[in-house]
Amino acid sequence: MKMTGSQVVAEVLLDHGVDTVFGYPGGTALNIYDELYKYSDRIKHVLTAHEQGAAHAADGYARATGKTGVVFSTSGPGATNLVTGIATAFMDSIPMVAITANVPDSLIGRDTFQEICITGVTLPITKHNYFVNRIEDLEPALREAFKIANSGRKGPVLVDITKDVTAASIEYTSKTPLELKPRPVMERDDIAAIVKLINAAEKPVAYIGGGVVASDACKELTALLEKADIPATYTLMAAGVVGYDSDLNLGLIGMHGSVAANRAIDQADLVVAFGARFSDRVALNPDKFAKRAKIVQIDIDRSEINKNVMVDKCCVGDIKEFITRALPYIEEQNHTEWHERVVGWKKKERIVKSPECKLHPQEILSTICDMTDEDTIYVTDVGQHQMWAAQYLKHNKAKKFITSGGLGTMGFGYGAAIGAQMGCPKDRVIHITGDGSFHMNLNEACTAVSENLPIITIIMNNKVLGMVYQWQTIFYENRYSNTTPERKTDFVKLAEAFGAKGYRAETCEEFTAAMEKALQSEGPVWIDCLISREERVLPMIPGGKTVEDMIID
């Protein structure tokens, strides 16, 4: 039947199973938003306070549900406000489709009010993007956008549509989504060679990345690790793939990883990287990373092979397919001596607490875990609180720890928490942030209140920009340049001003009491937790250094 471009947008979303979108209207997007009004019984639009919050919400929705996140904006500043959110999704390989409206085609290139070449701006931070200025190109571009976002290594795609296209008409017929691009064909010899190395290893370690989650291969990987008796480390993107209580879980790897994880990598004779890219926060000194080991990399993105760390064997393809094909040939192993050694390192780990503080981050996180179930979704901003959360939360399921890893986006948390809660309304969502990050995104409280979302925000408030402050303490002789802003924000009063509930805690007892009230509330709650600025994220390996340079106290 004959439809306008705006109707085509809505219909393509429905064809792809989209029922929730995030965004902010504006002049060039009016036709699309008028159509969304008519489709409101089938597509829920969540109005955020800012387009960046909308992009982070679409991202959080995608991470929590495994579906494609969708975000809308108008032209000019509306579109450019999406950039940080798109880049965040790009760095962490999150499937997202950003749909922006632009000025009419006749006004393109004339410095028109709120005109921007958003395809040019986002070219380096999208898998692909489209500029649609003909109605005939609209449907194919939208369908291809969903295909590309979910094919191979996932990521964001942007479709920019001129306003005249949203008003023009064309014949439209509903179709099923396009088939995803074929995955790389894995060579049997590559699989056999890696299996041989695993079977021969005496001190193996698995290094797990977000590719395992993207491939939905958590169960399969666990089966392989248990059969081959391989202890595992993980990146931020893979928290929960190996359960907190598992004897094979060595903890987070890298700059703020556990002593056991980093020492195991250093002492291993085989390191197998599953869907991980050897970032600079993991391989801080690439030339000395796992220097005693054969290194194996399995990844769907060929460009990641030998990019940061040179490997001995590789296999390009889907993680789940690799494990499924390899597992029958993996021998039952029992690396008793190696296991005892790495577990010994794990047992010796200790938590360093500031004596000046009545309420410690570790106590906060432990209390949260004790009071919630394993289906709780934790969303963080970026900074010290993020690392403490990664280190001390009892991760037992994948997709339950949502954080900005690659880009390290302060201000990510509240928007992402809103997206996660909209996507998983039956699950408890807890947003963990610091006072620095929270000042960047607390405007999204109005969104959480308007949608009556029961998100609990835990603010680790040390009144400094904690992670940079920590670096200035260790490496810059206590020269605290612009990290002690001395802000006087009263988060309890501010929460109430937004229409949320606010509590303050200075002791563990006060925090427990506040959590009990928060868990019984229907709408958003903030808990302002006063901690010492002298609390440190430890262990820590300085940039460019190795496990030999690890700071543990």
Side-chain angles (χ1 to χ4, degrees):
M1 63 168 51
K2 207 86 166 177
M3 289 189 179
T4 66
S6 297
Q7 287 176 297
V8 170
V9 171
E11 289 293 334
V12 171
L13 294 183
L14 291 175
D15 286 346
H16 287 81
V18 176
D19 57 13
T20 305
V21 299
F22 306 85
Y24 205 99
T28 60
L30 281 174
N31 293 331
I32 292 175
Y33 270 81
D34 187 56
E35 213 56 53
L36 286 174
Y37 180 88
K38 300 170 188 175
Y39 280 76
S40 59
D41 59 331
R42 288 171 285 174
I43 300 174
K44 166 72 173 177
H45 180 277
V46 180
L47 175 66
T48 56
H50 189 281
E51 290 90 353
Q52 183 174 319
H56 292 325
D59 181 323
Y61 177 92
R63 295 185 199 229
T65 64
K67 301 177 183 178
T68 305
V70 178
V71 60
F72 284 89
S73 84
T74 190
S75 61
T80 58
N81 282 345
L82 297 178
V83 168
T84 298
I86 293 171
T88 301
F90 182 75
M91 290 290 284
D92 289 342
S93 304
I94 306 302
M96 177 195 293
V97 173
I99 299 173
T100 57
N102 213 324
V103 301
D105 188 52
S106 61
L107 297 178
I108 292 290
R110 299 189 179 191
D111 292 334
T112 305
F113 176 69
Q114 292 194 335
E115 178 197 354
I116 194 76
C117 178
I118 194 62
T119 51
V121 171
T122 60
L123 184 63
I125 55 169
T126 52
K127 285 189 70 178
H128 194 68
N129 61 30
Y130 296 87
F131 173 64
V132 180
N133 61 347
R134 298 190 328 134
I135 185 67
E136 296 83 3
D137 298 331
L138 178 59
E139 181 189 345
L142 289 168
R143 292 190 181 281
E144 289 170 12
F146 278 91
K147 173 183 176 178
I148 293 170
N150 288 282
S151 292
R153 182 177 180 173
K154 300 178 182 182
V157 179
L158 180 137
V159 182
D160 189 38
I161 311 167
T162 58
K163 188 172 182 178
D164 51 304
V165 168
T166 66
S169 296
I170 195 170
E171 287 291 332
Y172 178 84
T173 303
S174 180
K175 302 182 184 74
T176 57
L178 298 174
E179 289 189 12
L180 302 183
K181 293 181 179 180
R183 293 176 295 202
V185 177
M186 288 182 285
E187 299 295 334
R188 181 181 298 178
D189 290 348
D190 291 338
I191 298 173
I194 293 172
V195 167
K196 185 177 180 180
L197 286 172
I198 292 174
N199 289 340
E202 296 180 359
K203 297 182 290 184
V205 177
Y207 158 39
I208 306 170
V212 174
V213 180
S215 180
D216 195 24
C218 300
K219 290 182 179 179
E220 289 78 5
L221 180 59
T222 299
L224 185 152
L225 297 179
E226 290 177 348
K227 187 175 183 181
D229 192 30
I230 304 178
T233 70
Y234 56 84
T235 68
L236 287 173
M237 296 295 102
V241 171
V242 179
Y244 171 82
D245 294 322
S246 171
D247 289 339
L248 297 177
N249 185 344
L250 297 179
L252 186 70
I253 187 175
M255 177 175 283
H256 292 296
S258 71
V259 172
N262 285 313
R263 283 187 176 168
I265 289 287
D266 184 64
Q267 296 295 317
D269 63 5
L270 177 68
V271 172
V272 185
F274 293 94
R277 58 188 178 86
F278 299 96
S279 79
D280 64 302
R281 283 299 189 264
V282 170
L284 293 103
N285 187 325
D287 295 334
K288 296 183 179 180
F289 181 80
K291 58 184 180 293
R292 298 174 177 85
K294 294 278 188 182
I295 301 177
V296 170
Q297 187 174 10
I298 304 139
D299 203 287
I300 201 164
D301 186 353
R302 185 177 297 276
S303 71
E304 287 296 342
I305 305 298
N306 292 326
K307 186 173 84 174
N308 296 322
V309 169
M310 300 300 293
V311 300
D312 297 281
K313 292 289 181 182
C314 68
C315 189
V316 178
D318 179 69
I319 299 292
K320 193 170 190 173
E321 181 185 351
F322 171 85
I323 297 173
T324 301
R325 291 175 60 181
L327 192 57
Y329 304 98
I330 297 291
E331 297 172 359
E332 294 275 356
Q333 297 282 352
N334 188 0
H335 302 293
T336 305
E337 183 179 342
W338 176 236
H339 188 73
E340 288 177 353
R341 192 189 310 180
V342 296
V343 169
W345 291 329
K346 192 174 177 180
K347 288 180 179 178
K348 290 180 181 178
E349 300 228 19
R350 63 192 184 89
I351 297 173
V352 179
K353 299 179 181 179
S354 168
E356 301 175 13
C357 191
K358 297 178 182 178
L359 180 60
H360 300 282
Q362 300 84 359
E363 294 170 336
I364 294 170
L365 296 165
S366 177
T367 301
I368 293 170
C369 291
D370 290 344
M371 299 179 73
T372 56
D373 61 37
E374 64 179 12
D375 287 321
T376 299
I377 299 173
Y378 299 99
V379 184
T380 82
D381 275 290
V382 170
Q384 286 181 310
H385 66 275
Q386 176 193 32
M387 294 296 105
W388 287 320
Q391 290 174 334
Y392 301 117
L393 287 174
K394 299 175 182 178
H395 308 286
N396 279 310
K397 289 186 177 182
K399 298 181 183 177
K400 301 297 183 183
F401 184 67
I402 296 174
T403 193
S404 171
L407 196 63
T409 307
M410 291 178 70
F412 169 79
Y414 216 163
I418 288 167
Q421 189 71 83
M422 294 300 301
C424 303
K426 295 182 180 179
D427 293 339
R428 168 68 64 183
V429 174
I430 295 182
H431 168 215
I432 300 170
T433 187
D435 55 300
S437 281
F438 199 44
H439 274 108
M440 290 191 177
N441 64 22
L442 55 79
N443 56 327
E444 291 304 335
C446 65
T447 309
V449 169
S450 295
E451 298 292 339
N452 198 33
L453 301 177
I455 298 168
I456 300 174
T457 294
I458 309 296
I459 308 163
M460 294 197 185
N461 186 359
N462 55 11
K463 300 188 185 301
V464 294
L465 305 184
M467 188 61 85
V468 185
Y469 180 92
Q470 174 173 327
W471 280 54
Q472 289 172 336
T473 302
I474 298 172
F475 304 115
Y476 292 88
E477 299 177 339
N478 300 335
R479 292 188 294 274
Y480 300 118
S481 176
N482 289 284
T483 51
T484 56
E486 305 299 338
R487 291 169 178 152
K488 307 300 182 185
T489 308
D490 187 323
F491 289 112
V492 175
K493 290 181 179 179
L494 189 55
E496 294 169 351
F498 272 112
K501 292 181 180 178
Y503 302 101
R504 183 171 290 110
E506 296 187 46
T507 66
C508 196
E509 292 75 19
E510 290 177 355
F511 178 72
T512 301
M515 271 297 293
E516 288 176 349
K517 295 175 183 176
L519 290 168
Q520 296 170 4
S521 298
E522 294 184 359
V525 178
W526 301 1
I527 305 178
D528 182 16
C529 303
L530 304 183
I531 66 172
S532 170
R533 62 182 60 185
E534 303 310 322
E535 291 280 4
R536 297 284 175 262
V537 178
L538 295 173
M540 177 182 181
I541 301 177
K545 301 296 184 179
T546 71
V547 66
E548 302 299 330
D549 306 295
M550 186 183 299
I551 301 169
I552 58 176
D553 56 31

